[in-house]
Amino acid sequence: MKQLSPAQIVLMKKAGEMTKNALNYAESLIKPGISTNSLDNLISEYIIKHGGKPSFKNYFGYPKSTCISINEVVVHGIPSERKLKEGDIVSIDVGVEYKGYNGDAARTFPVGRISEEKQKLIDVTRESFFEGIKNLKAGERLGKLSSSIQNYVEKNGFSVVREMVGHGIGDKMHLEPNVPNYGKETDGPIVQENTCLAIEPMVNMGTRKIFVLEDGWTTITQDLMPSAHYENTVLILKDKVEILTL
């Protein structure tokens, strides 16, 4: 875990705030008929206008500024001419770089009216994040967070994706350690103070099994049932955890 200086923490907080604002803006755009390309372009313009840089653009060759994943797409949906439809759920994942430091966050939003089951999936995914961070403390094992996310999700009848995990974050988008959303309380490293993590439960309505499409990015559920994603960048201090993207 990479410990941050007070000056670096200030930059992380600014990057987190910009990420939060970009996601709030994204939510205001969601409606049936808008294409994911239009969403991507508008969010990218918003980030740049407010002094940030879209972190995902050209990251390991990724072609767009955001990841926009509809229904059965778990993560890394590439924006295209596909339009949102009434009843869809859409996950938007945004990264913002500010003066060399990164914020990363994601939300799953309803498009118009959605089924009760899809709404429950969104709610459980979000709540699993908060259940997890209740057990995130400097000096404790990271596994306490991971196991509490898994337990909450499975208790509610859904499944946790294993292949994709959260990560450390700071002057790079992805740093050590990996932050799984499953496992035992005794797993993982000891959490250090003055570090940042991107914690991101990815939760499927059906099987936890996933499949990556030929584009090398788009990740879908094997049974084509819906998936939801909820992510924040958090700062771990000596006696508390601050959510930088909320």
Side-chain angles (χ1 to χ4, degrees), residues 6-18:
Q8 290 171 317
I9 287 172
V10 169
L11 294 173
M12 283 298 294
K13 286 184 173 183
K14 182 65 179 169
E17 183 188 11
M18 294 166 95

Side-chain angles (χ1 to χ4, degrees), residues 62-79:
Y62 185 75
K64 298 288 185 171
S65 297
T66 61
C67 298
I68 303 183
S69 305
I70 302 172
N71 297 333
E72 75 281 358
V73 182
V74 181
V75 285
H76 305 155
I78 301 172

Side-chain angles (χ1 to χ4, degrees), residues 4-59:
L4 299 161
S5 69
Q8 290 171 317
I9 287 172
V10 169
L11 294 173
M12 283 298 294
K13 286 184 173 183
K14 182 65 179 169
E17 183 188 11
M18 294 166 95
T19 306
K20 170 193 76 176
N21 291 341
L23 267 178
N24 288 342
Y25 174 65
E27 183 176 17
S28 75
L29 301 170
I30 290 171
K31 60 177 192 282
I34 192 168
S35 73
T36 55
N37 254 345
S38 295
L39 284 170
D40 182 74
N41 290 333
L42 289 163
I43 297 163
S44 178
E45 285 164 14
Y46 180 92
I47 291 167
I48 293 162
K49 187 175 116 183
H50 289 86
K53 182 180 158 197
S55 307
F56 299 168
K57 189 76 182 271
N58 301 319
Y59 188 72

Side-chain angles (χ1 to χ4, degrees), residues 231-244:
E231 177 183 23
N232 283 303
T233 299
V234 306
L235 168 66
I236 298 132
L237 299 169
K238 186 173 185 178
D239 52 358
K240 64 176 178 175
V241 173
E242 277 187 33
I243 303 173
L244 304 186

Side-chain angles (χ1 to χ4, degrees), residues 96-223:
V96 177
E97 183 188 320
Y98 176 73
K99 296 190 175 176
Y101 288 81
N102 293 277
D104 187 7
R107 307 277 185 269
T108 301
F109 302 112
V111 182
R113 294 183 63 173
I114 61 171
S115 69
E116 279 181 29
E117 184 129 47
K118 281 182 173 176
Q119 188 61 56
K120 183 184 175 189
L121 177 68
I122 291 173
D123 294 344
V124 167
T125 305
R126 182 182 64 241
E127 283 310 309
S128 73
F129 167 88
F130 291 101
E131 286 297 313
I133 64 166
K134 284 180 193 170
N135 296 284
L136 180 65
K137 292 183 180 71
E140 300 274 10
R141 288 265 173 213
L142 188 56
K144 287 195 164 183
L145 165 112
S146 303
S147 67
S148 54
I149 291 173
Q150 179 182 8
N151 290 340
Y152 185 80
V153 167
E154 292 178 353
K155 186 177 78 184
N156 280 282
F158 298 130
S159 63
V160 171
V161 172
R162 306 291 174 97
E163 295 85 349
M164 309 280 181
V165 295
H167 49 92
I169 186 169
D171 59 358
K172 295 189 172 66
M173 175 58 67
H174 290 90
L175 294 169
E176 290 296 322
N178 283 341
V179 184
N181 300 301
Y182 65 93
K184 298 194 286 290
E185 283 195 3
T186 50
D187 289 347
I190 300 288
V191 177
Q192 312 265 334
E193 64 181 275
N194 299 331
T195 60
C196 284
L197 299 174
I199 298 163
E200 49 179 321
M202 289 152 270
V203 176
N204 296 347
M205 194 179 281
T207 180
R208 69 174 177 82
K209 294 184 176 170
I210 60 171
F211 180 77
V212 181
L213 299 186
E214 283 178 7
D215 61 29
W217 289 102
T218 308
T219 303
I220 64 170
T221 57
Q222 278 196 11
D223 57 8

